[in-house]
Amino acid sequence: MKKLLHTIQSHLHIFPGSFFSLINQEICLFFEKQEEASLIPLLMQMQKDISKRFDRQMSFGIGGLAETIDEYWSSYEKAQKTVNWLINQKSATISSYQEMDYGLLFVGISTEDNKQLQKKVLGSLTVEEIEQFQLIFETYKRYNGSIMKCAEALFLHKNTFQNKLNRITEKTGYNPRNLSDFTVLSAAFMSYRLSNLER
């Protein structure tokens, strides 16, 4: 812990008036008013050093300018949503809330609506089935529907992979090969991942 504190402090000394908090696995950085562009090189170097020294990947979310307590909490919430989205996308990178696009749909949805979406689409599945189907679906998405590439990536015969896609359709009622069903499945799996991050 002391080594991590020292690493963070060594980077922040170039920004007088900056400070930070470290609670559990969350670092919260505070800067006096700065252009976002001037923060990115600092965060990139900090990310690189922490990865090298502690073998940990870090994602940084940037909230916004805050001049009051209420604005601080709003900025913190935006930064946290951004980080959750980056983790959801398995992206150890740096992004601001203002840069988010697709992610805004998911980080802004209420807990109740998230649960309803998951219940509607994934409700008939066990946790094990959700995780298995999610791997199949995410691979199908990553390789833009190429059965051959998906099968190769998962070390499966192409017919086996197609059977697994068919199984998703049978169990959920949504066909990944159909564009409108694909969108619903993508949203449901994304919602499921985000819910697990927030637990």
Side-chain angles (χ1 to χ4, degrees):
M1 180 67 86
K2 285 183 180 178
K3 288 182 180 179
L4 179 57
L5 290 172
H6 177 72
T7 301
I8 298 167
Q9 287 167 341
S10 70
H11 286 283
L12 294 186
H13 78 276
I14 60 172
F15 288 98
S18 62
F19 60 99
F20 70 95
S21 68
L22 177 58
I23 301 170
N24 297 324
Q25 294 186 333
E26 180 180 275
I27 301 169
C28 195
L29 306 171
F30 302 85
F31 299 93
E32 288 188 336
K33 189 174 181 180
Q34 298 286 340
E35 291 297 321
E36 189 177 306
S38 68
L39 295 177
I40 300 298
L42 165 81
L43 296 176
M44 287 176 71
Q45 190 58 51
M46 191 182 297
Q47 207 176 38
K48 185 177 177 182
D49 286 353
I50 289 172
S51 175
K52 184 178 177 181
R53 293 179 190 183
F54 305 100
D55 195 28
R56 298 294 298 268
Q57 298 300 313
M58 293 198 77
S59 298
F60 284 107
I62 301 171
L65 183 65
E67 296 181 355
T68 67
I69 293 293
D70 288 342
E71 288 174 350
Y72 158 76
W73 284 112
S74 174
S75 176
Y76 171 78
E77 191 176 89
K78 287 175 180 177
Q80 195 172 49
K81 285 179 177 180
T82 306
V83 168
N84 282 346
W85 178 248
L86 293 174
I87 293 170
N88 176 272
Q89 297 299 294
K90 298 180 173 62
S91 175
T93 187
I94 301 161
S95 185
S96 70
Y97 183 79
Q98 286 74 19
E99 290 176 330
M100 289 177 65
D101 44 37
Y102 191 50
L104 287 170
L105 298 173
F106 295 94
V107 297
I109 191 171
S110 72
T111 302
E112 185 180 341
D113 289 343
N114 255 326
K115 286 180 180 175
Q116 181 57 35
L117 174 62
Q118 291 170 42
K119 182 180 176 184
K120 171 83 169 84
V121 182
L122 309 174
S124 64
L125 306 177
T126 65
V127 171
E128 185 180 355
E129 284 175 326
I130 291 173
E131 290 172 359
Q132 288 174 356
F133 289 167
Q134 187 165 17
L135 174 62
I136 296 299
F137 182 82
E138 293 301 331
T139 306
Y140 185 70
K141 182 163 72 171
R142 184 179 312 119
Y143 291 102
N144 204 25
S146 169
I147 300 298
M148 289 295 291
K149 288 181 181 177
C150 292
E152 286 173 15
L154 297 178
F155 305 102
L156 298 171
H157 188 278
K158 66 177 186 176
N159 291 345
T160 303
F161 187 83
Q162 286 180 347
N163 289 339
K164 289 181 179 293
L165 283 179
N166 292 338
R167 188 79 176 129
I168 292 175
T169 305
E170 290 168 15
K171 292 287 286 184
T172 67
Y174 293 91
N175 183 353
R177 296 179 179 92
N178 177 295
L179 187 56
S180 60
D181 286 0
F182 177 94
T183 304
V184 173
L185 284 165
S186 182
F189 283 127
M190 211 166 286
S191 168
Y192 178 79
R193 281 203 311 269
L194 280 170
S195 295
N196 285 340
L197 284 176
E198 291 165 2
R199 283 174 192 161

